[in-house]
Amino acid sequence: MIASIRTGLRSQKTALVCLGLLLVLFILTILAPWIAPHDPIQVNLALKLKPPSLDYPLGTDHLGRCILSRLLYGARVSLGFASLIFISSLGIGLFIGAIAGYKGGIVDFVLMRFCEGVMSFPNLVLILGLVGIFGPGLPQVVLAMMLVQWVYYARMFRGMVLSLKERNFVTAAKISGSSQWKIIRQHIIPNVLPPIVVMGTLEMGWAIMDISALSFLGLGIQPPAPEWGAMIHEGKSFIRSNPELMLYPGIMILLVVVSFNLLGEALSDRFGVKRRFEKE
């Protein structure tokens, strides 16, 4: 018992540290236009590959651009669009899952068979296929990830709705004459949203990894706009002479993904939500 208490306190401290780090990063991304020392896309070949200095705290890249400024603006892309993907996918998944779980019958059968068909393929393969159809670019990547991601939330939400719609408070709402949409809105969604949000915390790390991976492959954000995966791609040609060009954005991706994962694990243990390992 004492060991479990110690483990819980340790995980709580870890979650608080991760939450604090993520909050700081989100604040820095919001304030990037005011705190970034230089224009992130301004090219100055006379300053290329300069070491760290007072003017350029992390030095410059192969085009003389400020690395710190590009990291700050790159965080806006990674964190901002990962949040957009999560919120949009969650909204679509909640809507579809509510219809499938509450209606049942042929509606549930058709929607869930479609979700299972999507889930039978690796996530990244489907995203790459959709990006191939839509064309390269960050908006296309975000749309492709949204179209793939929502099915996981729909499946999870549908299972929760099936267990909740037989509960006494739902039965009482039906007897009182509440409409189906009112029952879903006022009784179902509030009871399933917390564990879904916990799962979303875990999924933020996946979203950031996917955005960075696609940008590294040249399918995401296009030059000269800064993004962590794109910065790693640009720095790979200088891995021997200037490895910091890849190291800095790589560390940022590692910190953010690990922070989201540890925070999500702590929240999932707290609320009893199982992590979805079968995604990939």
Side-chain angles (χ1 to χ4, degrees):
M1 181 177 179
I2 296 177
S4 63
I5 294 175
R6 288 177 178 175
T7 303
L9 291 174
R10 193 180 304 114
S11 64
Q12 184 179 16
K13 291 179 181 179
T14 302
L16 290 175
V17 171
C18 294
L19 179 61
L21 176 61
L22 292 173
L23 288 176
V24 169
L25 286 174
F26 272 104
I27 293 173
L28 290 178
T29 59
I30 295 173
L31 300 179
W34 294 277
I35 64 177
H38 299 280
D39 186 340
I41 62 174
Q42 182 178 1
V43 175
N44 187 348
L45 294 178
L47 298 175
K48 67 178 182 179
L49 301 176
K50 290 291 184 180
S53 63
L54 291 178
D55 288 336
Y56 297 91
L58 295 180
T60 61
D61 65 5
H62 61 294
L63 295 177
R65 298 171 298 191
C66 178
I67 295 178
L68 177 59
S69 299
R70 290 182 65 78
L71 286 175
L72 291 173
Y73 275 86
R76 306 187 88 187
V77 175
S78 297
L79 294 175
F81 282 97
S83 301
L84 175 62
I85 292 167
F86 162 61
I87 294 172
S88 303
S89 302
L90 177 62
I92 298 172
L94 287 176
F95 180 74
I96 300 297
I99 294 176
Y102 197 82
K103 289 285 188 181
I106 187 65
V107 175
D108 179 36
F109 179 82
V110 172
L111 290 175
M112 289 303 102
R113 297 301 80 74
F114 175 80
C115 291
E116 289 171 1
V118 174
M119 294 172 66
S120 64
F121 295 93
N123 231 18
L124 194 57
V125 171
L126 283 178
I127 294 173
L128 286 172
L130 290 174
V131 172
I133 296 173
F134 300 149
L138 189 58
Q140 292 86 330
V141 167
V142 172
L143 178 60
M145 293 181 66
M146 287 167 47
L147 292 176
V148 172
Q149 186 71 23
W150 70 266
V151 299
Y152 299 97
Y153 296 114
R155 284 280 297 177
M156 185 188 308
F157 189 37
R158 178 252 189 187
M160 295 177 182
V161 171
L162 287 175
S163 65
L164 286 172
K165 71 177 185 179
E166 305 299 331
R167 301 283 290 274
N168 291 336
F169 61 87
V170 175
T171 303
K174 291 178 181 178
I175 295 174
S176 66
S178 298
S179 65
Q180 292 182 352
W181 290 112
K182 184 177 181 180
I183 293 173
I184 292 173
R185 185 177 66 254
Q186 295 186 356
H187 299 284
I188 300 294
I189 292 180
N191 284 281
V192 301
L193 198 56
I196 290 289
V197 172
V198 172
M199 179 60 70
T201 305
L202 292 165
E203 299 303 322
M204 283 288 289
W206 288 105
I208 292 172
M209 288 287 289
D210 288 344
I211 291 174
S212 299
L214 292 169
S215 294
F216 177 82
L217 295 174
L219 299 175
I221 196 167
Q222 301 299 301
E227 194 278 331
W228 293 339
M231 292 176 67
I232 295 177
H233 173 77
E234 293 176 348
K236 73 181 190 304
S237 300
F238 303 89
I239 188 171
R240 293 181 180 274
S241 59
N242 298 88
E244 68 275 7
L245 297 183
M246 296 181 66
L247 186 62
Y248 291 141
I251 290 175
M252 293 302 297
I253 294 173
L254 177 65
L255 285 176
V256 172
V257 172
V258 169
S259 295
F260 271 119
N261 285 348
L262 291 177
L263 178 60
E265 291 288 355
L267 292 175
S268 65
D269 291 340
R270 172 65 177 82
F271 292 100
V273 179
K274 293 182 179 180
R275 181 168 184 174
R276 170 167 52 79
F277 287 101
E278 65 270 17
K279 176 178 178 181
E280 296 296 315

